[in-house]
Amino acid sequence: MERSELISRIVEEKGSEAIPELIKLLSDEDPEVREIAAEALFKLGDNARIALKKEFDRRVREREKNDITLLYIVDLLADFGERSIVKSLYNILSLYSWEEAELVIYEALAKLGEGDKVYDILRYFLLEDTERKKFGAQAAMALSYIDRPEIIKDLVQAIDSNEFKGEDLEIIKKALSQLVMKNSMYHEILMNLVGNEINKYLG
């Protein structure tokens, strides 16, 4: 069965009854199982949001180091627009010892309207970090949630750097496309930067 079919079946057959089990599956060893559980929870809407917020609060109180399940919950609550978690997100940054986890939290903050506060660190990950090849694409997607015109120039600079290839380059172009679609002024900024080559920059 295809993943999308499986998610639809869970949502249609069990509905909100599936929420506690799906939250448990966010801790499964198999990343694909975790992804399926996360997608199903998002489709279950407000009831899932309420349950996830309770689980978020519990895990924040426990302050377990490098809690991967908490990152899935953070991502979901950010997609739900749950602004009540913002203060806690800043507090849990210190619990994680690797950059990918920090970027998940920074992206959640960007989704929840904290873009101006996290812009500089995300730009650093994209353009200046010694490991930008590793983290640049993830940083670019986080930047796509921030409404600042200078991000257009940042993403063009990343594409022109020739440091990003294959899927990572496509993700950066996708981030640029998302920003340009949101704001016609950004399309003009991009045109001024790249001229007739605009299609080369959009994913």
Side-chain angles (χ1 to χ4, degrees):
M1 188 184 294
E2 282 193 18
R3 184 159 134 180
S4 57
E5 278 181 65
L6 183 59
I7 292 162
S8 296
R9 260 183 73 173
I10 293 167
V11 172
E12 286 165 20
E13 292 179 12
K14 290 199 168 184
S16 295
E17 287 177 21
I19 290 170
E21 188 59 35
L22 288 168
I23 289 175
K24 282 182 191 170
L25 289 174
L26 293 176
S27 302
D28 196 90
E29 289 179 11
D30 185 341
E32 191 172 357
V33 170
R34 296 198 298 266
E35 291 292 337
I36 288 168
E39 286 181 46
L41 282 162
F42 188 70
K43 282 183 179 287
L44 287 164
D46 212 44
N47 288 333
R49 179 189 61 79
I50 292 164
L52 285 162
K53 176 63 169 55
K54 283 182 185 171
E55 183 67 10
F56 173 86
D57 290 340
R58 184 182 74 77
R59 287 175 180 268
V60 168
R61 283 194 302 272
E62 287 181 355
R63 294 191 65 79
E64 181 187 327
K65 294 272 188 187
N66 297 319
D67 180 352
I68 292 173
T69 304
L70 182 56
L71 293 177
Y72 279 90
I73 294 167
V74 163
D75 194 43
L76 279 162
L77 287 173
D79 286 341
F80 278 126
E82 183 60 57
R83 281 211 32 94
S84 67
I85 69 170
V86 165
K87 187 177 177 184
S88 295
L89 291 180
Y90 287 110
N91 291 335
I92 64 171
L93 271 166
S94 61
L95 297 177
Y96 292 91
S97 58
W98 78 100
E99 287 88 344
E100 291 97 331
E102 292 172 12
L103 278 163
V104 170
I105 297 169
Y106 288 132
E107 182 170 329
L109 286 163
K111 287 177 184 175
L112 294 170
E114 295 287 290
D116 285 340
K117 292 179 183 172
V118 298
Y119 165 68
D120 287 337
I121 186 71
L122 288 171
R123 186 184 185 279
Y124 172 81
F125 275 116
L126 176 68
L127 296 174
E128 297 170 27
D129 187 54
T130 52
E131 293 195 82
R132 57 189 171 276
K133 284 184 185 177
K134 191 174 174 186
F135 306 124
Q138 195 180 349
M141 283 312 296
L143 284 164
S144 75
Y145 295 102
I146 302 174
D147 190 8
R148 286 177 68 138
E150 56 263 52
I151 294 171
I152 302 298
K153 187 177 179 183
D154 296 335
L155 294 172
V156 167
Q157 187 179 331
I159 292 165
D160 284 344
S161 72
N162 293 320
E163 290 196 39
F164 301 100
K165 311 288 181 198
E167 188 181 353
D168 286 345
L169 180 60
E170 292 309 310
I171 289 169
I172 295 169
K173 288 181 178 180
K174 182 183 173 187
L176 183 57
S177 295
Q178 285 185 8
L179 272 170
V180 167
M181 281 192 290
K182 284 181 203 168
N183 191 323
S184 58
M185 184 183 78
Y186 291 168
H187 191 273
E188 287 178 35
I189 293 169
L190 183 59
M191 283 291 290
N192 287 335
L193 286 170
V194 303
N196 294 331
E197 291 191 302
I198 190 165
N199 290 334
K200 189 179 110 180
Y201 290 85
L202 298 174

